[in-house]
Amino acid sequence: MVKLQLPNPGLEDRIPSHAELEVLEKEEADSRPKWDNKAQYMLTCVGFCVGLGNVWRFPYLCQSHGGGAFMIPFLILLVLEGIPLLYLEFAIGQRLRKGSVGVWSSIHPTLKGVGIAAMFVSFLVGLYYNTIIAWVMWYFFNSFQEPLPWSTCPLNDNRTGYIEECAKSSPVDYFWYRETLNISTSINDSGSIQWWLLLCLTCAWGVLYVCTIRGIETTGKAVYVTSTLPYLVLTIFLIRGLTLKGSTNGIVYLFTPNVTELANPVTWLDAGAQVFYSFSLAFGGLISFSSYNSVHNNCEKDALIISVVNGFTSIYAATVIYSIIGFRATERYDDCFDKNILTLMNAFDLPEGNVTQENFEQMQRLCNMTDPMTFATLKFESCDLESFLNDGVEGTGLAFIVFTEAITKMPISPLWSILFFIMLFCLGLSSMFGNMEGVLVPLQDLKIIPPKVPKELVTGLICVGCYFLAFIFVLNSGNYWLALFDGFAGSIPLLIIAFCEMFAVVYIYGIDRFNKDIEFMIGHKPNIFWQITWRVISPLIMLVIFFFYFVVKVNEELLYSIWDPSYEDFPKTQKAEYPNWVYAIIVILAGVPSLSVPGFAIYKAIRNCCQKKNDQKGLMSSTSETSVNGNLKNSA
């Protein structure tokens, strides 16, 4: 077993002993927030971990990487990478009773950059995440209509037909790209602020402020609704989905593994990245949440329960989503067939009902034999259920295009729309609680905000600052900016932070000390599984993922999707290269958090070096002189 530990002078002075820890807990009982009960803590952690990514990113990755085959690397990496790091974050937060900045600076002063990096990531992700909640609110407000506004195309100015952009694409595409985003054709074309989205953004940050106004004292009450309601809505959708025609086609497609995908390194890379997203690891919020627990709380049991809930939620949500996608694909397949049947019936003047899906090919052959010349002029669409099922859309498109289209085909569609967007709102809001905690607590630990300033005012200032910065996402080019943030703010920085966290605990804090801490807190030492994963397997997996991710991204041409009605293949989105100035933004988004870790360590080393030189100069400049009575005296 690896026993390497780097020298760490002064550690005993920076952390409380086990005896001091119990005294400290009693002393902090009135001054430091704490959970009302265990259920409140567990629901908050589940709400932070289980977010929008479980509903739309995980199903998309399953679809992209061979259906059920993707679940194999996901579950393997969840066990070998996700659960050990989750347990480590819970345990170190509970032991040192501080937020992310406080924990890592206590372990070693040069590690304060790890906490600062986590704060930056929480801040950047929170900026765009709450904009998605604003979009959800816009759709929710528009759901109180019959028919739904994205169910049909609007008429043109002459009222003689549909608006051309909508007629060329679809009602759901038009409502999303034009009526919601009013999207421009380039990230260079910023346009103006869309007032309806600005109102929704105001509501989103207002609701978040009310829920986080006093930290866990208020979020702890909100999670009883925000963390449980999504499961109720998912269950309702599953029951409804299973009654729809073709829903089983989607579920079978999801769970049918294409084992050849297991040989693809990108499948494992995406699975490893998804584990980070689905657990909300390295954001700092989980460390803060666990620090409010009792010293003797069983953090190992908590980590295992939350891991099982998280993994189950990803698979359960994917099942629900694909039951609806199966229904949507079947509807599109039937519509395609109906057009072909109508084409054949009109050309050969066949009686209605004579041609069905079952006898279509037979009727085609018969018509071809009857009048080959006429049959040769007919144009039939290609109808393949597999291709409709394979027509996946990533991220926001899955919620705002695919799912909304499926909802329009359901009876009482406004009800299902309201339920769906309530679910997304709760998932997003409970995740934002953790992001806010990941920003607020480090700011307090860094002493940037004086302790006398009321918590309500601090939370308000953070929310207002983020609100104004988020204006960039409600411009005409806002969706392009959001995709940029989503792609780079929470990718490489999270891998670097997570690796530093594990390395710091095992090799700087000391794995033997950590084992004794856990034995003191929960009554027994971590078993051999935790020892092997913490010391070797998990850090190694993170290094491999980082290396491959870096290689893939460096060699990949950076493109973004443009919605342009003048594009020759419209309604397909056009792929275009980012303008050169965007690379500077990418460096800020991914570089600033990542470089905070070595940057602060270098700053600390230089500062310590300068202090030592000053101390030596001070010693050298002090001279000894002989006094009148023969004694020595020092004069500086």
Side-chain angles (χ1 to χ4, degrees):
M1 199 68 76
V2 180
K3 287 270 186 182
L4 173 69
Q5 184 178 341
L6 299 175
N8 191 357
L11 177 62
E12 297 290 347
D13 299 327
R14 293 193 299 271
I15 62 170
S17 66
H18 292 166
E20 291 170 339
L21 202 59
E22 293 187 316
V23 174
L24 189 64
E25 184 180 3
K26 291 174 184 175
E27 289 175 351
E28 289 178 344
D30 296 325
S31 61
R32 201 166 191 270
K34 61 181 179 180
W35 302 106
D36 291 347
N37 50 62
K38 186 63 176 282
Q40 192 180 78
Y41 164 67
M42 294 297 281
L43 285 173
T44 303
C45 289
V46 167
F48 183 36
C49 293
V50 176
L52 296 171
N54 295 72
V55 172
W56 62 42
R57 195 171 188 272
F58 182 78
Y60 169 76
L61 290 173
C62 286
Q63 180 266 327
S64 302
H65 297 296
F70 179 76
M71 294 184 192
I72 297 168
F74 174 74
L75 292 174
I76 290 171
L77 293 175
L78 183 142
V79 171
L80 296 178
E81 174 195 23
I83 301 176
L85 186 56
L86 183 69
Y87 184 13
L88 182 138
E89 287 199 355
F90 279 166
I92 200 70
Q94 187 171 305
R95 166 65 178 90
L96 298 180
R97 307 188 65 74
K98 292 177 180 177
S100 58
V101 168
V103 160
W104 304 119
S105 57
S106 294
I107 290 174
H108 198 282
T110 57
L111 291 174
K112 187 180 280 189
V114 177
I116 294 170
M119 179 187 72
F120 277 133
V121 172
S122 290
F123 170 71
L124 292 170
V125 170
L127 270 183
Y128 77 82
Y129 209 85
N130 220 31
T131 305
I132 298 173
I133 296 175
W135 292 345
V136 168
M137 293 178 86
W138 166 250
Y139 268 79
F140 173 73
F141 296 146
N142 277 282
S143 296
F144 293 90
Q145 300 178 48
E146 177 66 59
L148 291 169
W150 55 83
S151 59
T152 56
C153 284
L155 295 172
N156 58 26
D157 293 337
N158 298 330
R159 309 191 71 81
T160 54
Y162 296 126
I163 290 175
E164 186 182 3
E165 184 181 350
C166 186
K168 281 184 176 180
S169 52
S170 71
V172 287
D173 283 328
Y174 182 79
F175 188 84
W176 169 239
Y177 286 112
R178 188 54 54 214
E179 300 212 3
T180 300
L181 302 174
N182 194 18
I183 198 163
S184 62
T185 56
S186 167
I187 194 170
N188 281 317
D189 182 10
S190 298
S192 58
I193 289 173
Q194 311 305 298
W195 64 266
W196 55 92
L197 289 181
L198 183 62
L199 287 177
C200 292
L201 188 71
T202 308
C203 291
W205 281 104
V207 170
L208 182 65
Y209 172 65
V210 170
C211 291
T212 58
I213 190 168
R214 292 190 58 77
I216 67 163
E217 295 170 41
T218 45
T219 57
K221 307 293 188 294
V223 291
Y224 289 117
V225 176
T226 60
S227 295
T228 56
L229 191 62
Y231 290 96
L232 175 63
V233 175
L234 278 173
T235 304
I236 292 169
F237 264 105
L238 181 62
I239 295 167
R240 180 69 186 103
L242 291 173
T243 64
L244 297 169
K245 181 185 176 183
S247 60
T248 50
N249 292 332
I251 296 171
V252 168
Y253 178 81
L254 173 66
F255 287 102
T256 303
N258 176 9
V259 290
T260 57
E261 278 291 326
L262 294 177
N264 182 1
V266 178
T267 302
W268 292 83
L269 187 65
D270 283 344
Q274 179 58 21
V275 167
F276 273 92
Y277 295 136
S278 63
F279 274 98
S280 297
L281 296 167
F283 281 88
L286 292 172
I287 293 174
S288 293
F289 287 150
S290 66
S291 72
Y292 303 126
N293 277 324
S294 164
V295 172
H296 295 292
N297 173 61
N298 192 338
C299 50
E300 182 181 288
K301 186 179 174 183
D302 295 346
L304 291 172
I305 290 171
I306 287 168
S307 300
V308 170
V309 169
N310 203 330
F312 164 78
T313 303
S314 291
I315 296 168
Y316 187 52
T319 306
V320 175
I321 295 294
Y322 267 86
S323 72
I324 303 299
I325 286 176
F327 162 67
R328 171 184 177 259
T330 305
E331 285 281 310
R332 293 174 73 186
Y333 177 73
D334 288 345
D335 288 344
C336 180
F337 240 114
D338 289 344
K339 287 178 183 176
N340 287 348
I341 289 170
L342 193 62
T343 301
L344 194 65
M345 285 170 58
N346 289 342
F348 288 89
D349 200 20
L350 299 172
E352 193 173 339
N354 265 27
V355 186
T356 62
Q357 285 189 20
E358 290 73 24
N359 70 1
F360 181 70
E361 289 185 6
Q362 184 184 344
M363 292 299 292
Q364 274 186 313
R365 286 194 295 271
L366 184 63
C367 292
N368 191 21
M369 289 168 61
T370 307
D371 187 352
M373 297 287 288
T374 304
F375 187 83
T377 61
L378 300 181
K379 289 184 179 178
F380 295 104
E381 292 185 23
S382 175
C383 302
D384 178 30
L385 183 61
E386 185 82 9
S387 67
F388 287 126
L389 284 167
N390 203 34
D391 185 19
V393 181
E394 187 178 6
T396 52
L398 184 64
F400 298 114
I401 297 174
V402 175
F403 222 86
T404 50
E405 183 186 338
I407 285 170
T408 59
K409 299 179 187 299
M410 294 182 191
I412 329 171
S413 53
L415 173 64
W416 300 111
S417 183
I418 289 165
L419 280 174
F420 178 64
F421 289 110
I422 284 176
M423 177 187 75
L424 291 186
F425 177 76
C426 290
L427 284 170
L429 189 63
S430 55
S431 294
M432 277 302 298
F433 294 161
N435 280 326
M436 283 295 290
E437 187 75 12
V439 174
L440 185 62
V441 175
L443 285 176
Q444 292 171 333
D445 289 347
L446 289 167
K447 306 285 192 296
I448 291 174
I449 299 165
K452 292 180 181 179
V453 179
K455 188 179 284 184
E456 295 86 347
L457 180 59
V458 175
T459 308
L461 289 172
I462 292 170
C463 285
V464 169
C466 291
Y467 167 69
F468 283 117
L469 287 171
F471 278 19
I472 194 171
F473 302 120
V474 295
L475 297 167
N476 294 105
S477 60
N479 191 47
Y480 304 134
W481 279 99
L482 190 135
L484 192 65
F485 271 66
D486 189 36
F488 294 97
S491 52
I492 283 180
L494 289 179
L495 283 168
I496 292 171
I497 294 164
F499 176 80
C500 291
E501 286 182 354
M502 200 160 275
F503 185 86
V505 170
V506 175
Y507 299 112
I508 299 177
Y509 184 73
I511 191 67
D512 291 333
R513 183 193 303 274
F514 192 52
N515 288 335
K516 287 173 186 173
D517 288 343
I518 290 174
E519 185 179 18
F520 166 73
M521 292 190 293
I522 68 174
H524 64 84
K525 282 187 178 180
N527 61 34
I528 190 70
F529 169 78
W530 303 115
Q531 303 297 332
I532 293 171
T533 50
W534 284 336
R535 296 175 195 227
V536 182
I537 296 175
S538 294
L540 197 61
I541 288 172
M542 281 184 270
L543 278 177
V544 170
I545 290 173
F546 172 76
F547 174 74
F548 275 105
Y549 187 90
F550 193 76
V551 168
V552 167
K553 285 293 178 187
V554 165
N555 292 323
E556 189 179 70
E557 191 178 10
L558 287 180
L559 303 173
Y560 70 113
S561 299
I562 291 172
W563 179 261
D564 185 1
S566 62
Y567 178 48
E568 58 184 13
D569 292 328
F570 185 80
K572 288 184 178 179
T573 53
Q574 181 183 359
K575 297 291 183 183
E577 285 188 32
Y578 277 117
N580 291 332
W581 58 265
V582 167
Y583 290 90
I585 305 297
I586 291 170
V587 168
I588 293 169
L589 294 176
V592 170
S594 302
L595 295 173
S596 297
V597 180
F600 189 86
I602 292 166
Y603 159 74
K604 197 74 179 174
I606 293 169
R607 189 178 168 193
N608 289 344
C609 202
C610 292
Q611 283 181 339
K612 283 179 184 177
K613 284 181 180 177
N614 289 336
D615 292 343
Q616 288 172 356
K617 283 179 182 176
L619 288 169
M620 293 292 288
S621 62
S622 61
T623 56
S624 298
E625 297 176 2
T626 308
S627 63
V628 176
N629 58 10
N631 295 328
L632 288 173
K633 68 175 181 179
N634 290 330
S635 64

